Every structure is written in structure tokens, then in C-alpha cells.
Amino acid sequence: MFHEQISTRVRERPEMKAALAAAREYRSLGAKVTLVVHEMKRLGRGALELLKVAEELRDAEIELEFLTGPLAGKHDPSGHGAALFAFFAAMAESERDYIRDKTLEGQEAARTKGKAIGGTMVSDEDMLATARRLCDEEHLSLREIASRLVIRTGKKRGQHPAPATVMRMLRGHDEQTA
């Protein structure tokens, strides 16, 4: 079993690459191989990406099985099944683009109404002063600075901020003073 923890939008997917390599290896030993994927969009989001995977599977004589979705069941990605596969791949890509566009529209509408997008602020003036001192005087990395800071309010009280939060906090301060 291979389990990918990253988005299918990420180009390099090590678990996917390993699963395909293992499937090709077992097939080369003469075993009948079926690559089982939860749903088509977990295999890839773009039509071109899905067709490339289908071509790899066809060339290696590996069957494909989807557990859910419009193509649920076993498929041989060659022959007349390839056209259906291509159609649903294009639909998946279109659906992804539609969802992304609607999300961005909703965020923009919320901003125009004055609503904040994103999580609640976890930094305060004391945290900023401490972060600046650790950065300027002790020359610590963002990760080291974050490990020394503690959130004082809200649901994350008592936790350390993320290094990205420290970076945004310091960058925001630098932009204000510039």
C-alpha cells in the first residue's frame, strides 16, 4: 500500500512514483497487476497527467481500478476504455478549475465586505519585539525563533507559532518601517 499525504497538484509525488515502479516490477516478474486508486482525482487532476499515467499503465499491461467516482471498477486503460478515461479526466480537471474559481470569488466577495480571510492573529507586539531581537541580535533561523515564542491568546494559546507566521510577522514589520 502506498499513501500520499500531499496534494495531487504537486508535480513530484514520491509515493505515486513508488507505486508505479512497484507495479511495473511485479508485472515484469509475470504477475497480473492492478493498481487500485480511491478515486480518479487521486491519480491526477489534469487530463494530460491522467492520460500520461494511463499510457504508462497500458504500456506496462497494468490494470487500473477506482474504488469510487464515475469510473468505479476495473479498467484496462488501453483500447476503447481510453476515450472514456480521457473524457472523465477532462471533466475532473474542469471541476477542479471551477471549484478554485468559485473559492477565489467567494474570498474576494468576503474581502469587499470587510471580512478577514485566514486564521486569527496569533502575534502581538511583545512577540514581534522578541522575534526581532532573536533575529537581529542572535541571528537565529525562523524555526529556532518560532520554537522560542509562545502564543498568548486564542485557541492556540501555549503553542509555538509556525516559522511561516514568524516570517510574515517580521516581513510585515519591515514593510511598515520601510
Side-chain angles (χ1 to χ4, degrees):
M1 273 188 91
F2 297 88
H3 186 75
E4 197 87 71
Q5 288 288 337
I6 59 178
S7 169
T8 55
R9 290 178 288 168
V10 175
R11 294 272 185 236
E12 283 295 315
R13 295 169 49 206
E15 289 294 308
M16 178 65 165
K17 190 181 285 187
L20 291 172
R24 281 191 297 272
E25 181 181 340
Y26 287 125
R27 185 67 190 117
S28 72
L29 297 172
K32 182 178 178 186
V33 178
T34 302
L35 180 66
V36 180
V37 181
H38 182 259
E39 59 184 322
M40 184 174 49
K41 66 183 178 182
R42 299 310 306 156
L43 191 59
R45 296 266 174 98
L48 292 176
E49 182 184 2
L50 284 164
L51 290 174
K52 180 182 172 196
V53 171
E55 187 176 310
E56 283 183 50
L57 295 175
R58 182 189 68 229
D59 292 347
E61 298 178 355
I62 298 170
E63 287 187 345
L64 180 63
E65 181 177 356
F66 295 112
L67 298 178
T68 62
L71 285 178
K74 276 191 177 183
H75 300 277
D76 179 0
S78 62
H80 66 278
L84 184 63
F85 194 77
F87 171 75
F88 280 113
M91 293 301 294
E93 184 173 20
S94 174
E95 177 186 9
R96 179 175 165 256
D97 290 343
Y98 176 78
I99 290 169
R100 184 179 184 282
D101 290 345
K102 287 298 179 187
T103 300
L104 293 174
E105 285 176 19
Q107 289 175 344
E108 187 59 35
R111 280 189 199 95
T112 59
K113 293 178 183 176
K115 296 190 178 182
I117 302 296
T120 58
M121 288 289 289
V122 296
S123 62
D124 56 25
E125 290 300 318
D126 290 338
M127 187 183 286
L128 173 61
T130 303
R132 286 185 55 224
R133 183 183 58 75
L134 292 171
C135 182
D136 295 340
E137 295 174 13
E138 297 186 32
H139 307 290
L140 298 179
S141 70
L142 293 173
R143 180 165 282 142
E144 292 169 324
I145 294 170
S147 71
R148 294 192 184 184
L149 300 175
V150 177
I151 299 170
R152 295 183 184 187
T153 60
K155 288 191 283 185
K156 295 187 177 186
R157 182 182 180 162
Q159 296 178 21
H160 301 290
T165 300
V166 174
M167 179 183 68
R168 283 190 300 273
M169 184 172 52
L170 292 171
R171 185 182 293 154
H173 175 265
D174 291 345
E175 288 172 0
Q176 283 181 347
T177 57

